[in-house]
Structure formats: structure tokens, C-alpha cells
Amino acid sequence: TTMYDDGLHHDGAAGDQVYGAGIVASAYKMHHYIYTENAAAGIFSPERAEYNYYTFTTNLASPVAGDIIINEVMAVNQTDTTDSDHQHEDWIELYNTTAAPLHLYGLHLSDVATNLNKFALPENLVIPANGYVTVWADGDNTIAAPAHTDFFLDAGGEQIFLSDSNGVIFDSVTIGLQNIDESMGRC
């Protein structure tokens, strides 16, 4: 994001050598660094920006029980939607029931009632107001694939939980025997 000294970007008065910019909050916690340059040189702040960065917490609303629900589930995906690797994977769709964007920081998905904190949803995942997000249940929980759980869905049926880190269940759904390429949706 380019910073300006024009008096219009949270920078004080135009020409005062104070620069500012606006950043759209897209996650609960955001990491950033600053790069400044002139005709002769450039510098990062912090200096080791590839290893260090600044962090700030946004003011996105924190969800409470009922704000986010498990809306749709597919446990046997053979020809339906594909993930970013173009693979047909199990998926869970979460729905934001509110008129404000909500971050998923601190929320967990699980398929085990005795381990509700099985998969921590990524801190940078935000559901738009009255919007949806797909979480892939494919066992591919890596940094490169943050919206991929470390568990698969059982095509024979199971229970899926959405909870916070304190074990408060926000929502749960029980799925029965699943057919190929048929999702189970709630209304």
C-alpha cells in the first residue's frame, strides 16, 4: 500500500513529511513492514522484514454462538468443486449470519467430540457479511494451505463441531451416510 503526504490519507497536513495510508482489515491479526525509498537508496522497517514484521490487531467483530454456522458439507467429492490444487476434496461450508464481516480467529473445527480444538481455523480467514467460506477437510493442514483441516470427513457419517478455544460449541451438525457428489445442506 502506497503511503502519501497529501493530507488525505491519515497523514496530518499536506507536505508536512508525515506519511499515511489506509489498510483494509482482512484478518484479525495483520502483519506488515514498511519500505521507504528515494532516488539513491531504500530501507525496510523493521530492518529484517523478511524475518521480522509489525503486527496489529484489527477491530473486526468477534463472532459469538449463532453468528457462524456449519451450512453445508460434502464428504464424498469426486466431480464437484476443487480446491486451489485442483483436487476434489471433502469440504465444509461456514456461513456468516450477520450483517458484518467476522474473523474466524480463535475458532476450531473438529469431528471428535472429545477434542473440539482439533483444527484451529486460520487467523487470517474472514467471512464477509452474510457470506460463506469453504474449509477443505482433506488432511492437508499446512502453512501453504491454511484453510485445509488436518482431518477428513467420514462418508459413513459423523458429527462436525464448530467451537471456540474454550470449548464453547457454536454449532454442530450430524451427517449420515453420504452419497457421491451430494452435499448435505441446512436451511
Side-chain angles (χ1 to χ4, degrees):
T1 301
T2 303
M3 299 178 78
Y4 300 93
D5 181 18
D6 60 4
L8 302 173
H9 291 88
H10 313 287
D11 61 302
D16 64 359
Q17 299 297 306
V18 174
Y19 289 78
I23 299 173
V24 176
S26 60
Y28 175 68
K29 286 185 179 179
M30 296 184 67
H31 307 292
H32 67 284
Y33 61 86
I34 299 170
Y35 178 72
T36 306
E37 67 182 350
N38 60 22
I43 188 168
F44 285 96
S45 176
E47 289 182 15
R48 296 172 34 105
E50 68 273 16
Y51 302 106
N52 302 316
Y53 44 80
Y54 300 114
T55 301
F56 65 89
T57 304
T58 65
N59 62 356
L60 289 174
S62 295
V64 297
D67 286 352
I68 299 172
I69 61 169
I70 301 168
N71 191 59
E72 192 173 359
V73 176
M74 182 177 280
V76 188
N77 179 7
Q78 291 186 0
T79 62
D80 191 61
T81 309
T82 59
D83 65 8
S84 59
D85 293 327
H86 307 290
Q87 297 177 346
H88 298 281
E89 307 285 6
D90 302 349
W91 52 262
I92 302 165
E93 180 184 84
L94 302 176
Y95 173 64
N96 177 354
T97 65
T98 74
L102 295 172
H103 66 80
L104 299 178
Y105 180 73
L107 297 184
H108 296 80
L109 282 171
S110 181
D111 60 347
V112 179
T114 57
N115 182 10
L116 293 175
N117 293 343
K118 190 170 184 180
F119 173 72
L121 288 160
E123 67 183 38
N124 63 346
L125 197 56
V126 173
I127 304 180
N130 299 306
Y132 305 86
V133 69
T134 300
V135 178
W136 301 97
D138 60 1
D140 187 21
N141 181 24
T142 64
I143 293 173
H148 294 248
T149 68
D150 53 1
F151 62 89
F152 297 89
L153 298 178
D154 185 348
E158 68 178 325
Q159 197 166 12
I160 303 165
F161 302 92
L162 174 67
S163 64
D164 68 13
S165 55
N166 296 319
V168 174
I169 296 175
F170 280 34
D171 194 20
S172 68
V173 64
T174 301
I175 59 172
L177 180 65
Q178 299 293 292
N179 295 320
I180 295 172
D181 292 329
E182 287 184 14
S183 66
M184 188 213 76
R186 296 167 75 188
C187 56

